[in-house]
Amino acid sequence: MNEMETLKQWIEESKRIVFFGGAGVSTESGIPDFRSVDGLYNQKYAYPPETIISHSFYKRNPEEFYRFYKDRMIYQDAEPNAAHKALAKLEEEGKLCSVITQNIDGLHQMAGSKKVLELHGSIHRNYCEKCRKFYSLDYVVQSKGVPKCECGGTVKPDVVLYEEGLDTDTINQAVYELKHADMLIVGGTSLVVYPAAGMIDYYKGNKMVLINLAPTSRDNMADLVIKGKIGEVFEEILGK
Ligand code: NAD
């Protein structure tokens, strides 16, 4: 049996599939990842991206943070691709329990996924650091420079910046899902951003599939490795 047939058969046999993904899931929607050759880490900025999108940089230099963030992290016209759609379909069919994502773009929800655990938050939620009032993505995009609340406080995206901790409730739910999964599909992630990447160790089954363009340090622990574009892989096995 070839890799695609094995993947298809495992999906058919499974009832509690969990998907764990990263920026590579959205590249086919036109959103650059961080570590591919055309990713953000290979473009030149005054500071490396992990410096700009860190908590200390945000506090020290919010103008520069927001200049980069609005320009490089927000893609309002992006649409879900075949991977997002296939995962939503699997959930609707009762086979997939949850999507655990490191992405902040909201494309899984746009595709129809209901149970999405966003480890790194979302660009679609924004709140005032002073009075906690919520603001939409449009408000942030349309604001000039640093978005401000009507109370005078600074509006911050509900996105986990480098140096910030992950939400405990989201982690606990993700751990539960991984422990109870009968199949784990990992895709579009370099698996180098911790603690998120280490979470896949909670899966103890024998159907772990890794779908990624570049090799990862976890290829050797996967039961099946498919090197390819995740949207194309899902399209081939499940259709559009
Ligand atoms: P990463 O950039 O470190 O790695 C992406 C991986 O996906 C690479 O290994 C690459 O080979 C692979 N890839 C790219 N396109 C692919 C495709 N079409 N099919 C299969 N594989 C593909 O991304 P990461 O591991 O998610 O870590 C980066 C961090 O940056 C995350 O925390 C994430 O929150 C954030 N980020 C999010 C977005 C987004 O929300 N869309 C975009 C950029 C970065």
Side-chain angles (χ1 to χ4, degrees):
M1 216 168 15
N2 71 26
E3 294 160 347
M4 291 300 204
E5 283 166 359
T6 307
L7 175 58
K8 204 170 173 174
Q9 189 186 320
W10 286 1
I11 289 176
E12 271 162 26
E13 287 167 8
S14 303
K15 295 189 187 73
R16 286 197 63 94
I17 303 170
V18 169
F19 179 80
F20 182 96
V25 176
S26 294
T27 53
E28 287 162 87
S29 296
I31 303 180
D33 63 8
F34 277 179
R35 289 175 187 81
S36 289
V37 278
D38 54 352
L40 287 184
Y41 280 12
N42 292 310
Q43 299 174 17
K44 293 276 169 267
Y45 292 99
Y47 307 90
E50 68 263 61
T51 302
I52 306 179
I53 51 174
S54 68
H55 182 81
S56 48
F57 191 93
Y58 165 78
K59 284 289 179 196
R60 231 177 19 245
N61 199 343
E63 291 80 15
E64 188 61 11
F65 168 87
Y66 264 113
R67 203 171 65 83
F68 177 88
Y69 177 78
K70 287 183 194 177
D71 193 34
R72 298 288 146 174
M73 307 284 297
I74 296 174
Y75 294 82
Q76 272 188 304
D77 296 334
E79 303 251 350
N81 63 50
H84 299 104
K85 290 178 193 165
L87 292 164
K89 194 169 151 196
L90 286 172
E91 183 183 17
E92 201 182 305
E93 289 168 359
K95 297 187 85 49
L96 182 132
C97 294
S98 58
V99 167
I100 304 171
T101 184
Q102 300 166 83
N103 291 349
I104 55 174
D105 54 35
L107 289 185
H108 284 295
Q109 291 91 333
M110 211 187 283
S113 285
K114 301 279 182 288
K115 182 86 189 260
V116 183
L117 297 169
E118 296 173 311
L119 296 175
H120 294 158
S122 172
I123 57 168
H124 296 279
R125 297 186 298 270
N126 304 277
Y127 64 92
C128 169
E129 291 190 280
K130 210 161 143 193
C131 74
R132 299 275 142 182
K133 181 174 168 167
F134 262 80
Y135 285 91
S136 67
L137 177 60
D138 278 344
Y139 184 84
V140 170
V141 171
Q142 280 156 23
S143 63
K144 268 203 161 166
V146 180
K148 291 284 178 187
C149 176
E150 54 197 19
C151 81
T154 300
V155 175
K156 182 180 185 290
D158 189 11
V159 161
V160 180
L161 304 177
Y162 285 97
E163 305 161 355
E164 291 180 344
L166 274 56
D167 176 65
T168 315
D169 187 43
T170 310
I171 295 183
N172 289 343
Q173 285 187 58
V175 168
Y176 178 91
E177 293 295 329
L178 286 159
K179 277 185 174 171
H180 292 85
D182 61 3
M183 176 175 183
L184 172 64
I185 307 176
V186 179
T189 172
S190 58
L191 293 172
V192 300
V193 179
Y194 277 78
M199 296 191 70
I200 61 172
D201 291 336
Y202 285 102
Y203 173 69
K204 298 291 179 213
N206 58 0
K207 283 183 198 150
M208 176 179 149
V209 184
L210 225 161
I211 308 169
N212 210 58
L213 274 179
T216 77
S217 61
R218 301 305 192 89
D219 287 10
N220 57 354
M221 71 172 262
D223 301 293
L224 179 67
V225 177
I226 300 179
K227 184 178 178 328
K229 290 192 172 180
I230 192 157
E232 291 178 4
V233 169
F234 272 115
E235 201 169 324
E236 192 176 327
I237 56 162
L238 295 177
K240 272 195 184 173

XYZ file of all heavy atoms in Angstrom, residues 21-28 31-36 73 102-105 120 162 188-193 211-214 216 228-231, ligand 1:
304
model
N -1.565 21.336 13.918
C -0.944 22.003 12.773
C -0.286 23.328 13.083
O -0.351 23.857 14.196
N 0.353 23.849 12.037
C 1.041 25.129 12.174
C 0.934 25.953 10.906
O 0.067 25.703 10.048
N 1.850 26.903 10.786
C 1.770 27.907 9.728
C 1.717 27.306 8.319
O 1.120 27.894 7.410
C 2.956 28.861 9.854
N 2.327 26.122 8.131
C 2.328 25.483 6.808
C 0.931 25.111 6.322
O 0.717 24.911 5.126
N -0.032 25.030 7.236
C -1.416 24.714 6.839
C -2.024 25.882 6.052
O -2.905 25.699 5.224
C -2.283 24.382 8.086
C -3.736 24.150 7.719
C -1.727 23.155 8.800
N -1.524 27.086 6.307
C -2.128 28.262 5.668
C -1.303 28.847 4.519
O -1.719 29.836 3.921
C -2.392 29.344 6.720
O -3.371 28.903 7.640
N -0.154 28.253 4.204
C 0.649 28.821 3.107
C -0.090 28.708 1.772
O 0.020 29.584 0.917
C 2.038 28.151 2.981
O 1.862 26.743 2.882
C 2.928 28.474 4.166
N -0.870 27.630 1.610
C -1.627 27.474 0.359
C -2.828 28.439 0.305
O -3.517 28.517 -0.709
C -2.069 26.016 0.184
C -0.904 25.105 -0.179
C -1.191 23.638 0.050
O -1.741 22.999 -0.849
O -0.875 23.133 1.154
N -0.758 32.808 3.064
C -0.165 33.404 4.275
C 1.226 32.788 4.459
O 1.338 31.570 4.601
C -1.037 33.117 5.520
C -2.466 33.634 5.292
C -0.414 33.757 6.760
C -3.411 33.390 6.462
N 2.275 33.600 4.454
C 3.614 33.016 4.585
C 3.833 32.391 5.959
O 3.303 32.881 6.960
C 4.560 34.203 4.378
C 3.743 35.424 4.582
C 2.321 35.068 4.326
N 4.610 31.300 5.995
C 4.977 30.731 7.295
C 6.225 31.458 7.787
O 6.624 32.473 7.212
C 5.163 29.208 7.212
C 6.306 28.801 6.293
O 7.058 29.681 5.842
O 6.448 27.593 6.024
N 6.856 30.949 8.822
C 8.067 31.596 9.336
C 9.334 31.010 8.721
O 10.265 31.713 8.408
C 8.139 31.435 10.867
C 7.327 32.457 11.604
C 7.274 32.436 12.996
C 6.623 33.447 10.939
C 6.535 33.377 13.702
C 5.877 34.389 11.623
C 5.842 34.350 13.006
N 9.365 29.658 8.556
C 10.661 29.031 8.299
C 10.879 28.465 6.903
O 11.949 27.916 6.636
C 10.930 27.945 9.353
C 11.208 28.574 10.705
C 11.373 27.629 11.848
N 11.467 28.371 13.092
C 10.434 28.844 13.769
N 9.209 28.623 13.349
N 10.611 29.533 14.874
N 9.931 28.591 5.975
C 10.193 28.162 4.599
C 11.138 29.177 3.946
O 11.345 30.263 4.493
C 8.894 28.081 3.791
O 8.128 26.983 4.235
N 1.481 39.930 9.475
C 0.796 38.854 10.199
C -0.707 38.828 9.902
O -1.387 37.888 10.273
C 0.984 39.008 11.720
C 2.423 39.148 12.182
S 3.371 37.620 12.186
C 2.526 36.636 13.379
N -1.360 26.078 15.969
C -0.456 27.154 16.409
C -0.771 28.419 15.619
O -0.178 29.457 15.854
C 0.993 26.740 16.152
C 1.411 25.472 16.894
C 2.733 24.920 16.354
O 3.808 25.358 16.736
N 2.649 23.949 15.470
N -1.689 28.303 14.651
C -1.997 29.458 13.798
C -2.919 30.444 14.506
O -3.697 30.081 15.386
C -2.633 29.002 12.482
C -1.631 28.269 11.620
O -0.441 28.283 11.915
N -2.092 27.628 10.565
N -2.836 31.671 14.020
C -3.606 32.753 14.647
C -4.560 33.385 13.639
O -5.143 34.420 13.887
C -2.630 33.831 15.205
C -1.683 34.347 14.097
C -1.799 33.261 16.350
C -0.804 35.514 14.532
N -4.709 32.725 12.470
C -5.420 33.355 11.352
C -6.924 33.095 11.301
O -7.640 33.717 10.508
C -4.775 32.953 10.015
C -4.670 31.433 9.834
O -5.568 30.703 10.297
O -3.686 30.982 9.215
N -1.898 29.627 20.204
C -1.234 30.930 20.181
C -2.203 32.101 19.994
O -1.795 33.195 19.614
C -0.136 30.943 19.102
C 0.984 29.993 19.410
N 1.847 29.490 18.469
C 1.372 29.442 20.590
C 2.725 28.674 19.051
N 2.448 28.625 20.326
N 6.158 35.864 21.806
C 7.320 35.201 22.406
C 7.528 35.790 23.795
O 7.293 36.979 24.021
C 8.572 35.410 21.551
C 8.561 34.546 20.303
C 8.128 35.047 19.083
C 8.967 33.209 20.354
C 8.104 34.265 17.941
C 8.945 32.409 19.215
C 8.516 32.940 18.011
O 8.483 32.152 16.898
N 2.166 20.759 8.503
C 2.483 22.157 8.267
C 3.130 22.838 9.442
O 2.858 24.008 9.719
N 3.989 22.119 10.137
C 4.690 22.736 11.272
C 6.110 22.226 11.350
O 6.365 21.038 11.161
C 3.940 22.483 12.609
O 4.768 22.938 13.691
C 3.579 21.038 12.828
N 7.028 23.154 11.653
C 8.437 22.768 11.777
C 8.689 22.077 13.115
O 9.750 21.511 13.335
C 9.321 24.010 11.654
O 8.969 24.946 12.652
N 7.733 22.143 14.025
C 7.828 21.529 15.355
C 9.056 22.026 16.128
O 9.719 21.254 16.816
C 7.831 19.991 15.246
C 6.523 19.371 14.757
C 6.685 17.874 14.506
C 5.391 19.582 15.773
N 9.332 23.297 16.004
C 10.459 23.855 16.771
C 10.009 24.883 17.806
O 10.811 25.329 18.609
C 11.554 24.480 15.861
C 12.132 23.458 14.913
C 11.042 25.692 15.101
N 8.728 25.293 17.747
C 8.254 26.298 18.705
C 7.684 25.578 19.936
O 6.677 24.864 19.842
C 7.188 27.223 18.066
C 6.693 28.250 19.083
C 7.756 27.944 16.849
N 2.550 15.240 7.934
C 2.493 15.739 6.550
C 3.186 17.096 6.528
O 2.684 18.073 7.101
C 1.028 15.900 6.064
C 0.228 14.613 6.294
C 0.996 16.302 4.587
C -1.277 14.763 6.095
N 4.337 17.163 5.899
C 5.089 18.426 5.904
C 5.989 18.516 4.681
O 6.398 17.489 4.133
C 5.940 18.507 7.184
C 6.146 19.933 7.645
O 5.165 20.639 7.897
N 7.374 20.376 7.733
N 6.275 19.743 4.276
C 7.175 19.915 3.126
C 8.624 19.627 3.511
O 9.310 18.878 2.846
C 7.068 21.348 2.588
C 5.955 21.631 1.585
C 5.983 23.099 1.185
C 6.106 20.752 0.350
N 9.077 20.243 4.586
C 10.466 20.045 5.021
C 10.518 18.955 6.086
O 9.544 18.749 6.813
C 10.999 21.357 5.581
N 11.246 17.193 9.659
C 11.207 17.726 11.026
C 11.996 16.777 11.933
O 12.257 15.628 11.563
C 9.766 17.839 11.579
O 9.339 16.528 11.946
C 8.808 18.438 10.578
N 4.906 16.623 1.396
C 4.105 17.238 0.346
C 3.331 18.413 0.873
O 3.428 18.762 2.060
N 2.569 19.038 -0.018
C 1.742 20.174 0.387
C 0.464 19.637 1.016
O -0.255 18.847 0.383
C 1.401 21.034 -0.825
C 2.589 21.785 -1.362
C 2.141 22.839 -2.350
C 3.305 23.710 -2.738
N 2.944 24.739 -3.696
N 0.174 20.096 2.187
C -0.923 19.492 2.958
C -2.282 19.659 2.279
O -3.120 18.757 2.320
C -0.907 20.009 4.412
C -1.834 19.174 5.272
C -1.210 21.490 4.506
C -1.508 19.212 6.743
N -2.499 20.799 1.627
C -3.766 21.010 0.922
C -3.912 19.993 -0.201
O -4.977 19.386 -0.385
P 7.052 27.300 10.752
O 7.087 28.460 9.838
O 8.130 27.185 11.756
O 7.089 25.966 9.889
C 6.186 25.735 8.845
C 6.439 24.329 8.333
O 5.408 24.040 7.404
C 7.776 24.163 7.618
O 8.400 22.996 8.098
C 7.380 24.024 6.128
O 8.215 23.114 5.443
C 5.984 23.480 6.235
N 5.087 23.872 5.140
C 4.957 25.079 4.551
N 3.960 25.061 3.640
C 3.465 23.787 3.670
C 2.427 23.129 2.967
N 1.688 23.753 2.040
N 2.183 21.824 3.257
C 2.931 21.157 4.182
N 3.934 21.735 4.877
C 4.183 23.041 4.634
O 5.610 27.255 11.418
P 5.141 26.734 12.851
O 5.763 25.442 13.157
O 3.665 26.843 12.874
O 5.748 27.795 13.880
C 5.655 29.166 13.602
C 4.910 30.007 14.620
O 4.481 31.168 13.922
C 3.680 29.414 15.161
O 3.694 29.648 16.514
C 2.508 30.203 14.566
O 1.690 30.694 15.603
C 3.101 31.421 13.965
N 2.634 31.743 12.598
C 1.311 31.643 12.296
C 0.855 31.916 11.021
C -0.621 31.781 10.726
O -1.439 31.954 11.612
N -1.001 31.454 9.495
C 1.741 32.297 10.027
C 3.109 32.422 10.359
C 3.533 32.122 11.653
